[in-house]
Amino acid sequence: MEARTDPNPAMPMPSGTVTFLFSDVEGSTLRWEHDRADMEVAVRRHDTLVRTAIVGRHGYVFKTVGDAFCAVFGRPDEAVAAALDAQRTLLAEDFSAVDGLPVRMALHTGTAEERDGDYFGPTVNRVSRLLAIGNGGQILVSGVTTDLVQGTLPSQASLQDLGAHRLRDLTYPEQVYQLIAPGLRSDFPALRSLEVLPTTCRCS
């Protein structure tokens, strides 16, 4: 499916150290095969909800690919808040016509090269691979982003340590966390990583 740049002229593109929020609909291909008309309606509504949450937290949507969103934020706490806002509104929406619309999300922070309205580099690759191991309805947060948002999480939100995971094509494993908050699902199948690695508890 062709990728589309998705400029938001109301905001400048963040640069330097940024936080990426990627999302997509799990199992969307099968849903499209079963009922194209209802999926068109559902994905249109999905797009509105996700975009509203991102822009409402000062995020910048720089690309969409089918039902996938690629957004960037200047502040990691705003990226986490946007993911929480989006997931809550999606879960509250009635998508029963397409047997639900499970959306997975991933967040990671780092530097990236910006070129022609798009971002490139290892940080983008890592958030993409992190998204790929998640489940619909789940928000995964990298170790780097987790460290940066300590003390600034939304009210009643927390981050659950899911351990260190090897991600496809990446040399170094990722310490993965799941955002936990009222209004979100909390129980999911195991992550689809290559391997779960032993990890040492990080004590304060």
Side-chain angles (χ1 to χ4, degrees):
M1 188 170 293
E2 183 180 358
R4 305 188 304 276
T5 57
D6 199 7
N8 179 358
M11 290 188 61
M13 293 185 71
S15 60
T17 299
V18 297
T19 299
F20 290 100
L21 165 59
F22 281 18
S23 72
D24 67 9
V25 177
E26 184 183 29
S28 62
T29 300
L30 188 60
R31 287 172 167 81
W32 278 108
E33 289 293 316
H34 282 172
D35 195 334
R36 179 170 180 172
D38 282 339
M39 269 298 284
E40 287 179 353
V41 175
V43 170
R44 194 177 304 118
R45 180 59 177 159
H46 155 274
D47 290 356
T48 297
L49 295 175
V50 174
R51 183 182 301 278
T52 298
I54 291 169
V55 174
R57 296 290 183 171
H58 309 109
Y60 186 104
V61 178
F62 65 91
K63 184 164 60 178
T64 57
V65 186
D67 55 52
F69 271 76
C70 301
V72 62
F73 295 77
R75 290 173 43 181
D77 59 323
E78 291 181 335
V80 171
L84 179 55
D85 291 347
Q87 200 65 270
R88 279 173 168 165
T89 57
L90 288 165
L91 290 170
E93 193 76 9
D94 181 8
F95 289 116
S96 57
V98 292
D99 194 27
L101 204 70
V103 177
R104 56 187 178 177
M105 301 180 182
L107 299 100
H108 179 51
T109 304
T111 59
E113 178 187 357
E114 186 272 318
R115 186 172 70 251
D116 297 330
D118 202 351
Y119 291 86
F120 304 87
T123 301
V124 177
N125 297 338
R126 185 161 290 265
V127 69
S128 178
R129 293 294 187 256
L130 182 59
L131 177 68
I133 69 172
N135 300 283
Q138 194 170 35
I139 302 173
L140 299 181
V141 183
S142 72
V144 172
T145 304
T146 293
D147 288 342
L148 292 171
V149 299
Q150 294 299 331
T152 63
L153 289 172
S155 176
Q156 296 183 285
S158 62
L159 289 161
Q160 177 184 351
D161 191 345
L162 301 183
H165 293 258
R166 285 185 57 226
L167 306 178
R168 184 167 64 87
D169 298 330
L170 300 185
T171 303
Y172 299 106
E174 182 61 50
Q175 194 74 23
V176 180
Y177 295 79
Q178 176 182 316
L179 185 65
I180 304 294
L184 300 186
R185 287 180 54 193
S186 57
D187 295 327
F188 296 94
L191 298 179
R192 303 179 180 91
S193 57
L194 300 178
E195 183 183 5
V196 183
L197 304 175
T199 185
T200 302
C201 177
R202 302 190 304 177
C203 301
S204 57

